[in-house]
Amino acid sequence: MLSEDEAKDLLSFLTLEMRADVKGQATGYILGLTGNRDGCRYLQSKPDFLKALVTLTSDPSIAIVKDCFHALINLSADETLHQPLVKETEILSKLIPKLQDPEFVFSDRICTILSNLSRHEQTCRDVFKALQELNVGLDRLVEIFCTEGFNKKASLHYLAPLLSNLTQLPEARHFILDKDRCVIQRLLPFTQYEESITRRGGVVGTLRNCCFDYVHHEWLLSDAVDILPFLLLPLAGPEELSEEENEGLPVDLQYLPEDKRREEDPDIRKMLLETLMLLTATKVGRQILKSKNVYPIMREFHKWEKDPHVISACEKLVQALIGDEPEVGMENLMEVEIPKDVEEKLQELDAKEQEQMEKDKQELEKSQNESREGLER
């Protein structure tokens, strides 16, 4: 790494007043450092370099701004840099207001940085607090996210994982689930947003986090929100169901066309199943899912699914749908206290299950690769 004198010289080039060619070489060098873990850890101990990068996101040169944003994305991907970036620089106050500019070219990079910084609770709170203090707030963030073409120069897809990360906080979930704001209803259509897996995944993650607040389950499943079709449609396929099974389904899931395709990403499929599973934690949730005939959709999905982790999540949901009701006093599964020895045993069994699923997945991938090689011959 750099000696103290070399670092001092390099830092002197990272100012708004410096000649563009010299400054460009300096930012290019810093960008190279952020491309590996050692370089990121070196910069962790150099807050002046972090401050300079944030300042230069306002440079007149597009090339220099691009390098700085790229470097900040790399740095924010490293969890150990989250505190230095948030506490030692003005990264939040400098970048967040620019999201509201419909002409700002680098808004997608800002979304990525904020998404990275909000992954863990401590800095997630810092991001949430900054949004409130800078008069952007969740309401404005959702409005920008849901306004198609808000920024003609940026897709803003990474606002979705940012929203998902923010909803790990109770206060963010409280806002999303406010019955008078109609926020969650605006997000629901994006569970099937074909143009971006990032946007779909972030919205599904947001819905899953919100479903941890079980007091809202009945409202979420009511006609006021009608969350169920938006969770089920991505999991439903073209299989023909009996007339009786179709009639019992929500209208949007009845008599699906022969070209109906399921969600292509296994991680999103798993999150959808986990969200449905959370809705079965309460007695009212289980009753509604059973009355809406969710089981036939899951039955056909289970036959189709190949990913071991997703299959496991599906089987747990099916068990909740067709199994016996818990005994009196244990109807709300989120309030049941599990004895420590039982919890440890369950964790041990879960770890073994995960290990077996990984083995199954590797064997499946190996057999698929061998099949492809056979075809190529």
Side-chain angles (χ1 to χ4, degrees):
M1 291 299 163
L2 300 171
S3 68
E4 285 302 315
D5 288 340
E6 288 170 332
K8 190 175 179 181
D9 288 342
L10 181 62
L11 186 62
S12 69
F13 302 147
L14 296 169
T15 65
L16 291 168
E17 298 75 27
M18 181 56 64
R19 271 176 30 210
D21 57 335
V22 176
K23 188 165 36 182
Q25 287 187 336
T27 54
Y29 180 82
I30 295 291
L31 175 57
L33 279 180
T34 66
N36 62 75
R37 186 177 177 181
D38 288 341
C40 286
R41 297 297 163 89
Y42 170 75
L43 291 170
Q44 180 187 349
S45 63
K46 302 289 182 185
D48 287 341
F49 280 101
L50 303 179
K51 290 175 188 174
L53 284 173
V54 172
T55 299
L56 289 176
T57 59
S58 300
D59 196 82
S61 166
I62 293 292
I64 287 169
V65 173
K66 189 175 181 180
D67 277 356
C68 290
F69 271 118
H70 195 168
L72 289 169
I73 288 172
N74 290 345
L75 290 166
S76 64
D78 186 330
E79 185 189 344
T80 64
L81 268 294
H82 287 184
Q83 283 296 311
L85 282 168
V86 168
K87 302 299 185 187
E88 303 286 347
T89 79
E90 297 179 339
I91 192 167
L92 299 179
S93 60
K94 287 272 189 185
L95 301 192
I96 286 174
K98 291 175 181 174
L99 282 177
Q100 299 193 84
D101 181 356
E103 299 293 322
F104 191 63
V105 177
F106 296 103
S107 287
D108 280 337
R109 288 173 170 82
I110 292 176
C111 293
T112 305
I113 292 165
L114 294 176
S115 175
N116 285 343
L117 290 175
S118 60
R119 283 202 310 263
H120 301 284
E121 186 178 351
Q122 190 172 2
T123 41
C124 183
R125 289 195 175 281
D126 293 321
V127 173
F128 184 76
K129 183 181 177 185
L131 284 166
Q132 307 300 107
E133 291 175 349
L134 295 164
N135 295 318
V136 177
L138 273 179
D139 51 348
R140 181 62 176 152
L141 213 59
V142 170
E143 184 184 341
I144 291 169
F145 177 74
C146 294
T147 304
E148 190 148 358
F150 174 84
N151 187 328
K152 296 289 191 293
K153 299 170 183 177
S155 68
L156 304 180
H157 293 327
Y158 272 87
L159 279 179
L162 171 59
L163 285 170
S164 178
N165 292 343
L166 289 171
T167 53
Q168 69 183 289
L169 305 176
E171 49 268 49
R173 295 197 299 275
H174 179 74
F175 172 84
I176 299 285
L177 292 165
D178 188 326
K179 294 179 182 180
D180 297 322
R181 293 181 185 271
C182 289
V183 176
I184 201 160
Q185 291 92 327
R186 298 184 71 184
L187 297 176
L188 291 176
F190 292 103
T191 62
Q192 297 174 87
Y193 188 81
E194 292 184 358
E195 287 80 1
S196 170
I197 190 172
T198 301
R199 191 173 279 245
R200 289 199 310 276
V203 166
V204 172
T206 301
L207 298 179
R208 181 185 61 178
N209 287 347
C210 288
C211 285
F212 277 99
D213 290 357
Y214 61 83
V215 294
H216 297 285
H217 283 185
E218 189 169 2
W219 175 68
L220 288 169
L221 290 163
S222 73
D223 291 340
V225 180
D226 200 22
I227 194 174
L228 193 56
F230 295 95
L231 300 176
L232 282 178
L233 264 172
L235 300 172
E239 295 85 7
E240 192 174 332
L241 302 178
S242 70
E243 189 169 338
E244 185 182 353
E245 287 173 336
N246 267 303
E247 292 300 329
L249 286 166
V251 174
D252 291 342
L253 282 106
Q254 292 178 9
Y255 303 102
L256 296 176
E258 292 179 1
D259 61 351
K260 171 67 174 72
R261 292 183 301 165
R262 290 183 169 90
E263 167 58 52
E264 63 185 32
D265 184 78
D267 291 330
I268 296 179
R269 296 198 299 271
K270 185 168 179 283
M271 282 195 292
L272 287 162
L273 291 166
E274 288 167 349
T275 308
L276 289 164
M277 187 67 191
L278 285 168
L279 290 169
T280 67
T282 55
K283 184 175 183 178
V284 67
R286 289 190 297 277
Q287 288 174 338
I288 293 172
L289 264 65
K290 288 175 183 180
S291 70
K292 295 289 186 179
N293 224 18
V294 172
Y295 172 69
I297 298 290
M298 292 299 102
R299 181 192 65 212
E300 299 305 319
F301 176 83
H302 187 268
K303 293 176 188 175
W304 172 87
E305 183 58 66
K306 298 290 187 290
D307 187 289
H309 296 279
V310 185
I311 290 171
S312 175
C314 180
E315 289 172 350
K316 288 172 183 173
L317 175 59
V318 167
Q319 184 57 40
L321 293 172
I322 66 174
D324 295 332
E325 272 293 303
E327 60 187 75
V328 177
M330 301 181 74
E331 294 96 337
N332 188 334
L333 303 181
M334 287 187 171
E335 291 181 335
V336 174
E337 286 190 24
I338 302 172
K340 192 172 181 182
D341 59 327
V342 175
E343 186 177 358
E344 287 172 355
K345 184 67 176 174
L346 289 171
Q347 287 172 348
E348 184 184 331
L349 290 169
D350 190 50
K352 286 180 180 177
E353 183 185 27
Q354 293 292 328
E355 187 181 337
Q356 186 58 48
M357 283 191 293
E358 282 300 324
K359 287 179 182 176
D360 293 343
K361 193 170 185 177
Q362 288 168 8
E363 286 176 10
L364 178 63
E365 288 170 355
K366 185 181 176 182
S367 65
Q368 286 174 341
N369 291 334
E370 286 172 353
S371 297
R372 289 192 198 102
E373 287 169 7
L375 288 171
E376 287 167 4
R377 290 193 199 103

